[in-house]
Amino acid sequence: MNEYDLTIIGGGSAGLVLAVASAKLGKKTALVEKHKLGGDCLWTGCVPSKAFLKSAHIAHLMNTAERFGITVGGVGIDFQRVMQHVRSAQGTIEREHDNPERFRELGVDVIFGSGHFDSPRSFIVEDSEKHDTTSLTSKKYVISTGSRPAAPPITGIESINYLDSHNVWEIDYLPQTLLVAGAGPIGVELGQAFHRLGAAVTIVQRSDRILPREEPVVSNRMLECLRAEGISILLNTNLHEVTDAVPNHDENRRAPTNGNYSVVLDTRGEKRELTVDQILIATGRNPNIEGLGLERIGVRVGKHGIEVNEKLQTSVKNIYAAGDVIGHYLFTHVAAFQAQQIIRNIFFPGAASIDYTVVPWTTFCDPEVARCGLTEAEARRKYGDVDVFTVDFKDVDRAVAEGETEGFIKIVATKWTGKILGVHLIGPRAGEILHEFVLAMKAGISLRKLTSVIHVYPTFSSIVWQVAAKWLAEGTLVNTVRKFLHKGGK
């Protein structure tokens, strides 16, 4: 029997952060992973999608190069080589960062295989490398098994070979026509990328706007951008039924025949039929909890995943959980943040509650969409009247120089002090620009103080100074002072 201070179940973002930190603290640590280290981020999420988006962005630049005075001949796209680029990026990160031997050298016992809890202090693993059963006893456990794509209840969906954010990276052909179900971050990113690589893309969204977690004006601007590129987007539309238009086809073929699937769409009761080569489902995710034996040991599971308290403890106090499996924020960076909090709460005195008041995220479409904090509507509900200011990228000289003027920044702040309540960006480098605001919000730096920070000219991030200066020049505080002085002058 193997005894540990900490056993981590799941080798994704949270699991790897936990393993390194625990080992460096001198704790005896085990890391159990079913398949390969790196989790969704490396194999099916962040890394492959960003490599894919880069290829699509280059194709778009070449196809629109004439606006920069550059004449390019016919742009050829070798989709198999695009996918080779994606896999090369994954391989490099696996070798350099997520190699199991790196963790073993740090002192972590990396065990590959499936397992389940036998008791709150015992975890049984079917070791796929040693081909035997291993029983792990541990003082503390962290469950970080991630999530997987979930298909909505669509008639016929289980009988077809649809794509999702996991298996899309296994294809080596470009569908000529692609239907994307879902206009959240995954659907928008991949839909735009496939379109730029040459597919005719239709995105269907059941609600009345895309990117529904974003500020409405941001969602609407991104909708305009996608439609301007030629992407068909159908709002208030459900994928009602799917049938295989080519019966008895070869399921293992490398590329589908044209018109492989027949789909019925329902837009507020009005049905229409389309024929497409492939379907990409991007409508949600489910936590990976099956087979862990959580019910047996009393770990409570709710609608969105494993239930945890503000210390990230489950209902069994020596077992914690982090990442997608708890369903709070399905982001790699949040999983890593939760892992850091768990390390503090397990190994250091004085457990602390996790703070989600400043959680940034970015959708890596083009232009990028980034957010941190409250929407205007949320801020008004919580604080009453607030100051709101926007600056367009067309007023940023670097954006003008580079021909990337699409988008804007919107800031929501308290009226008198300029405390930043929410930041919403759509535009070039939005995900990078956002971090200055993240630091400001975390450190309590007001918009007034941001106006005193020197920003390099010309940069995209000068928009930070511009919107802060706008608050200083036009906000409630200065306008009240002006009114007072004006009355005094009389």
Side-chain angles (χ1 to χ4, degrees):
M1 184 174 291
N2 300 295
E3 297 184 356
Y4 295 92
D5 296 306
L6 175 64
T7 295
I8 305 148
I9 305 163
S13 174
L16 298 184
V17 170
L18 286 158
V20 170
S22 179
K24 287 187 174 181
L25 288 170
K27 305 299 181 180
K28 189 173 182 184
T29 307
L31 174 61
V32 181
E33 167 57 40
K34 268 188 177 183
H35 305 297
K36 295 186 287 187
L37 298 187
D40 281 343
C41 181
L42 176 56
W43 299 112
T44 62
C46 318
V47 173
S49 65
K50 301 313 161 279
F52 191 66
L53 294 179
K54 180 67 174 183
S55 293
H57 183 63
I58 292 172
H60 179 68
L61 283 177
M62 294 177 70
N63 282 319
T64 58
E66 286 193 2
R67 66 192 179 103
F68 299 103
I70 308 296
T71 300
V72 178
V75 177
I77 295 173
D78 185 334
F79 193 81
Q80 291 188 18
R81 292 186 64 186
V82 169
M83 299 310 290
Q84 287 173 10
H85 162 66
V86 171
R87 291 158 192 156
S88 175
Q90 291 173 306
T92 298
I93 293 174
E94 180 188 28
R95 288 191 303 273
E96 299 297 327
H97 303 294
D98 295 350
N99 189 324
E101 294 310 314
R102 170 177 174 252
F103 291 87
R104 286 168 174 153
E105 289 171 3
L106 290 171
V108 179
D109 285 350
V110 180
I111 304 166
F112 288 99
S114 300
H116 65 274
F117 282 97
D118 190 48
S119 75
R121 295 192 178 274
S122 176
F123 193 76
I124 310 299
V125 184
E126 297 294 329
D127 193 318
S128 60
E129 290 184 319
K130 296 180 179 178
H131 304 290
D132 64 9
T133 301
T134 302
S135 179
L136 310 177
T137 298
S138 189
K139 296 176 184 176
K140 305 287 186 182
Y141 289 92
V142 180
I143 303 169
S144 56
T145 47
S147 64
R148 64 187 184 280
I154 301 168
T155 302
I157 193 68
E158 297 302 329
S159 64
I160 69 166
N161 300 317
Y162 64 87
L163 300 176
D164 58 32
S165 60
H166 278 197
N167 65 18
V168 68
W169 310 114
E170 299 169 7
I171 68 172
D172 54 9
Y173 61 87
L174 177 69
Q176 295 304 299
T177 53
L178 175 68
L179 178 77
V180 180
I186 293 174
V188 167
E189 286 183 6
L190 294 185
Q192 185 181 44
F194 271 103
H195 168 76
R196 289 181 165 188
L197 291 171
V201 174
T202 299
I203 300 177
V204 297
Q205 170 71 359
R206 64 182 180 180
S207 67
D208 60 357
R209 62 188 179 99
I210 68 171
L211 301 175
R213 295 185 66 183
E214 305 299 335
E215 183 76 27
V217 290
V218 171
S219 298
N220 292 337
R221 179 66 69 87
M222 193 63 224
L223 177 65
E224 293 172 1
C225 293
L226 294 174
R227 283 177 168 165
E229 282 195 29
I231 299 172
S232 174
I233 301 179
L234 307 176
L235 302 177
N236 300 301
T237 300
N238 287 300
L239 183 50
H240 177 71
E241 184 178 358
V242 182
T243 56
D244 195 332
V246 186
N248 302 318
H249 63 263
D250 178 7
E251 294 184 357
N252 298 314
R253 68 184 183 279
R254 296 175 65 83
T257 54
N258 290 337
N260 196 48
Y261 300 116
S262 176
V263 300
V264 177
L265 303 177
D266 187 334
T267 304
R268 292 176 172 172
E270 180 180 338
K271 291 184 172 60
R272 74 184 85 176
E273 188 170 343
L274 294 178
T275 301
V276 296
D277 294 344
Q278 189 54 270
I279 298 169
L280 173 65
I281 301 295
T283 53
R285 302 182 69 84
N286 286 331
N288 293 325
I289 56 176
E290 293 79 9
L292 293 175
L294 302 181
E295 302 84 357
R296 181 187 302 119
I297 60 171
V299 172
R300 287 198 295 270
V301 177
K303 179 181 179 182
H304 300 292
I306 295 174
E307 295 182 353
V308 295
N309 63 16
E310 70 280 1
K311 309 290 194 302
L312 296 172
Q313 286 175 304
T314 70
S315 50
V316 178
K317 296 307 178 185
N318 71 308
I319 300 176
Y320 294 70
D324 286 11
V325 77
I326 66 176
H328 287 180
Y329 293 91
L330 307 189
F331 303 119
T332 294
H333 51 281
V334 173
F337 172 64
Q338 291 166 341
Q340 294 168 350
Q341 187 73 32
I342 288 174
I343 287 292
R344 185 200 187 289
N345 288 345
I346 289 179
F347 294 124
F348 294 90
S353 300
I354 194 161
D355 180 8
Y356 291 119
T357 56
V358 182
V359 178
W361 66 77
T362 300
T363 300
F364 297 91
C365 43
D366 183 17
E368 288 185 354
V369 170
R371 169 186 173 177
C372 187
L374 304 176
T375 64
E376 180 181 346
E378 291 168 344
R380 291 191 185 282
R381 285 196 294 270
K382 185 172 182 178
Y383 291 92
D385 204 5
V386 294
D387 275 345
V388 179
F389 293 100
T390 63
V391 172
D392 286 337
F393 272 98
K394 64 181 177 59
D395 296 322
V396 178
D397 290 355
R398 179 62 180 274
V400 173
E402 295 201 10
E404 295 188 61
T405 57
E406 184 62 65
F408 58 85
I409 185 171
K410 177 177 179 177
I411 295 288
V412 184
T414 57
K415 292 174 69 69
W416 300 102
T417 63
K419 176 184 177 182
I420 304 168
L421 304 176
V423 184
H424 307 273
L425 281 151
I426 175 171
R429 321 296 197 278
E432 310 299 332
I433 295 168
L434 181 68
H435 286 91
E436 187 170 349
F437 290 105
V438 175
L439 176 61
M441 293 172 73
K442 191 68 177 177
I445 298 171
S446 67
L447 288 173
R448 179 181 62 80
K449 289 183 178 179
L450 282 181
T451 63
S452 66
V453 176
I454 300 173
H455 288 76
V456 172
Y457 177 89
T459 59
F460 286 98
S461 63
S462 65
I463 199 171
V464 176
W465 182 88
Q466 287 177 252
V467 76
K470 195 169 186 179
W471 176 87
L472 186 62
E474 302 175 19
T476 299
L477 177 61
V478 71
N479 282 331
T480 302
V481 171
R482 285 196 186 105
K483 290 178 182 177
F484 176 79
L485 293 175
H486 181 69
K487 289 181 179 179
K490 287 184 175 179

